[in-house]
Amino acid sequence: SQTIHQWPATLVQPVGSPLSLECTVEGTSNPNLYWYRQAAGRGLQLLFYSIGIGQISSEVPQNLSASRPQDRQFILSSKKLLLSDSGFYLCAWKHLHGAGANVLTFGAGSRLTVL
Amino acid sequence: AQTVTQSQPEMSVQEAETVTLSCTYDTSESDYYLFWYKQPPSRQMILVIRQEAYKQQNATENRFSVNFQKAAKSFSLKISDSQLGDAAMYFCAWNMNYGGSQGNLIFGKGTKLSVKP
């Protein structure tokens, strides 16, 4: 069965420091991968998605970037964090075929606090 | 652009009772999917139920069922026999059926459901 891992679960970083959140998927190949952000009390905002290695689409211009160095690995990064980057970050992968087609399966999330 | 609207920021239900959460969406597409996701205090997003737009029959999943009104662009979630564990944020989401392409989910802002013992 497919599983998705996301880490770290919690992160407290000072303003101006770098960021790296990692997401990996097991049990599937060539998944569509997504990074969402959820600010406090708000819905989910799509940040990036990827349909393959090295293929990244950005939905919102911001201080963050994403990379997909391997088929089942998706990384969210920043060179210099801002206070506004605080939030809950969710990685997800999408089932493309079969009974679960178009369903997003989410990781457990990473809570980032920028001080 | 497609939008998803959840007009109830918060709802409350007595344990064992039934509650309905509302969702409307706006799209000019005809082939799409609709979802309800649950986010408990742990914040793990969990799929509750999925509806394919070309299917007229409303989806059901145990105590969860939907009322899908395609012409009205309405997609409500009914929770029967509410349990304490149903307390969570519930998000309605829309996704065009790209048939394997990148198609992204559009989420509503969520409804916070409280269950009273």
Side-chain angles (χ1 to χ4, degrees), chain B residues 60 67 72 81 95 98:
Chain B
T60 62
N67 183 5
D81 186 25
N95 178 207
Y98 280 85

Side-chain angles (χ1 to χ4, degrees), chain A residues 5-110:
Chain A
H5 303 280
Q6 186 180 341
W7 70 93
T10 305
L11 199 58
V12 180
Q13 292 286 97
V15 170
S17 64
L19 170 73
S20 181
L21 301 179
E22 190 164 342
C23 173
T24 59
V25 180
E26 296 177 357
T28 188
S29 60
N30 196 30
N32 283 6
L33 296 171
Y34 303 80
W35 277 111
Y36 283 86
R37 177 169 59 196
Q38 186 178 28
R42 298 178 63 180
L44 278 75
Q45 178 187 39
L46 178 63
L47 301 176
F48 301 95
Y49 67 89
S50 171
I51 62 172
I53 295 174
Q55 301 180 67
I56 308 294
S57 296
S58 174
E59 290 293 302
V60 181
Q62 60 213 324
N63 185 43
L64 302 169
S65 62
S67 62
R68 186 167 176 176
Q70 299 180 44
D71 181 44
R72 289 170 287 180
Q73 183 185 30
F74 203 25
I75 298 171
L76 183 69
S77 304
S78 174
K79 292 182 179 179
K80 289 185 177 182
L81 284 168
L82 305 173
L83 288 174
S84 57
D85 292 324
S86 292
F88 190 65
Y89 290 81
L90 287 157
C91 180
W93 74 278
K94 178 184 276 192
H95 305 240
L96 297 180
H97 306 290
N102 280 282
V103 172
L104 272 185
T105 297
F106 288 86
S110 298

Side-chain angles (χ1 to χ4, degrees), chain B residues 9 18 23 39-40 42-44 51 53 58 66 74-75 78 87-88 95-96 98 101-102 106 108 112 117:
Chain B
T18 296
C23 173
Q39 188 179 40
S42 67
R43 304 201 74 174
Q44 172 86 53
Q51 175 79 42
N58 289 324
V66 298
S74 171
F75 183 61
K78 185 172 81 171
N95 178 207
M96 181 172 167
Y98 280 85
S101 182
Q102 64 268 24
I106 309 297
K112 183 177 181 180

Side-chain angles (χ1 to χ4, degrees), chain B residues 2 10 31 52 65 70 75 77 114:
Chain B
Q2 289 78 15
E10 295 188 27
D31 188 10
E52 298 169 74
S65 62
K70 191 172 184 178
F75 183 61
L77 174 69
S114 301

